Amino acid sequence: MKVESQRLRNCPACGASAVEDRGEKNGFPIVSCRNCGTLYASCLPDESNAQDYDDYYTPRNLSVPDFIQRRIEEIVAGFSSYRLQNRLLELGFGEGSLLRAAARAGWDVEGIEVSRTAVEHVRAYGLNAFCGELSDASYADASFDVVMASELLEHVTDPQRMLKEVARILRKGGLFWATTPNGRGMSARLLGIKWSVNSPPEHLHLFSSRGVAKLLTDAGFERVRIITHGVNPFEIWQALRKSARSNGNASACTGCERVESGYQLNEALLRSRSRRALKNMMNGLLKVSHLGDSLKIRAER
Ligand SMILES: [Zn+2]
């Protein structure tokens, strides 16, 4: 895929224009911001090469393994201190397990998704879902206690605009909770553009924690807390092995392989007590070193 219209953009996190060229991925020039370290496609896809999300979800990826389900229940339990109006919204709910867990925990839930298949999937459970973009949903000011966005910020073409809208619909003191890949984590540093997560037009920007903190503060959030977590050594190992063989531009692995290998690794790590201890220690180290591959974000309105 070749990008024809080279509409260069400033850093989507901090707005700076000074960048370092990092190469090309799927026909998109990739740069890193010299100010905040965010890794991003310097031009956005147009209609001809934008990611089509209508067929993004299939019956195969509309279910999650048990250990993730348990983690999801814990995440939802962490929102209970914000319950005032009892209203919770999830942006880009995908297979919908977070939304369903929140509904089971007694929240009045709403969901927004661009994928028609995913919307029909959660409506079958009796949940309220809007098919489209947040800007089209027209929610009232301050109408939610919690807004969640799991692995979404890296997909949206204008994250600043989306976050300002989130700030508008959250009540004062309400919580924005999100996860997104870390553009300055272990895999981004070791693999650069070969990291499979670096995948325009699907993923347009991989924020640094400094970059996403600036983005949130500018959008009107306070008490921004970001931790990093998780790496997938399988992909790093596979990519280093592949590049030793070929010097190739190929991705370390495809998106599906990445998710599958991450699941297998997690299951292996959860199987015995000593492995669980190892996993907890690794996550502790990643948290203090800020080198985890995922950013976990909590910010209050
Ligand atoms: Zn920046």
Side-chain angles (χ1 to χ4, degrees):
M1 185 192 296
K2 190 75 192 163
V3 178
E4 300 297 343
S5 55
Q6 302 280 315
R7 190 165 67 82
L8 296 179
R9 58 179 183 147
N10 287 354
C11 174
C14 75
S17 57
V19 295
E20 185 182 333
D21 287 325
R22 300 295 297 272
E24 195 181 280
K25 188 76 176 277
N26 303 338
F28 289 79
I30 305 292
V31 296
S32 56
C33 171
R34 286 187 191 274
N35 181 47
C36 77
T38 289
L39 196 60
Y40 66 99
S42 61
C43 56
L44 290 172
D46 55 28
E47 275 180 16
S48 67
N49 59 12
Q51 175 75 35
D52 180 5
Y53 286 102
D54 232 17
D55 298 322
Y56 199 68
Y57 293 98
T58 64
R60 184 169 174 254
N61 59 20
L62 282 171
S63 64
V64 298
D66 284 350
F67 74 90
I68 292 192
Q69 195 57 49
R70 286 193 293 277
R71 181 68 196 113
I72 283 169
E73 310 284 340
E74 288 168 17
I75 291 167
V76 169
F79 299 149
S80 58
S81 62
Y82 291 91
R83 202 190 293 253
L84 210 63
Q85 307 173 17
N86 201 36
R87 299 246 304 150
L88 178 148
L89 171 69
E90 183 173 13
L91 310 174
F93 55 77
E95 36 72 41
S97 48
L98 255 174
L99 207 57
R100 293 202 303 277
R104 283 196 301 277
W107 287 93
D108 293 333
V109 299
E110 297 267 349
I112 297 184
E113 218 348 300
V114 290
S115 160
R116 168 75 47 195
T117 318
V119 166
E120 283 163 7
H121 181 71
V122 303
R123 280 183 183 159
Y125 288 91
L127 302 181
N128 293 326
F130 177 81
C131 189
E133 305 283 348
L134 173 60
S135 50
D136 300 322
S138 310
Y139 292 115
D141 290 356
S143 53
F144 291 97
D145 295 320
V146 176
V147 175
M148 309 186 284
S150 168
E151 304 297 295
L152 176 72
L153 287 169
E154 65 276 19
H155 295 259
V156 297
T157 52
D158 191 345
Q160 181 68 268
R161 182 166 158 238
M162 190 195 88
L163 288 173
K164 282 185 175 160
E165 181 65 0
V166 172
R168 184 186 71 76
I169 62 175
L170 263 179
R171 67 161 171 84
K172 186 73 188 156
L175 175 74
F176 175 61
W177 176 94
T179 63
T180 191
N182 183 3
R184 293 290 291 151
M186 183 89 80
S187 293
R189 286 169 194 248
L190 287 175
L191 303 176
I193 62 166
K194 287 182 187 160
W195 190 22
S196 61
V197 171
N198 200 329
S199 57
E202 184 189 348
H203 294 170
L204 301 167
H205 20 254
L206 308 181
F207 294 114
S208 66
S209 49
R210 196 150 70 86
V212 82
K214 164 100 171 86
L215 194 61
L216 286 157
T217 310
D218 289 351
F221 289 91
E222 294 171 1
R223 298 190 66 204
V224 176
R225 285 159 293 168
I226 298 166
I227 60 167
T228 82
H229 147 110
V231 282
N232 187 345
F234 174 83
E235 182 179 354
I236 293 174
W237 169 73
Q238 202 186 38
L240 296 176
R241 208 175 51 147
K242 270 187 192 166
S243 69
R245 251 195 245 136
S246 66
N247 289 332
N249 273 322
S251 275
C253 54
T254 66
C256 264
E257 281 170 355
R258 179 209 329 141
V259 172
E260 290 285 331
S261 65
Y263 282 177
Q264 284 158 9
L265 178 73
N266 250 300
E267 281 183 316
L269 285 172
L270 287 171
R271 229 170 272 142
S272 79
R273 195 189 292 172
S274 57
R275 284 181 186 169
R276 280 197 300 276
L278 174 69
K279 187 185 175 200
N280 289 341
M281 189 190 77
M282 273 165 50
N283 273 327
L285 284 174
L286 293 169
K287 209 163 157 180
V288 292
S289 62
H290 305 290
L291 284 173
D293 283 341
S294 176
L295 299 177
K296 290 183 167 190
I297 301 161
R298 293 173 79 93
E300 290 180 7
R301 183 64 186 97

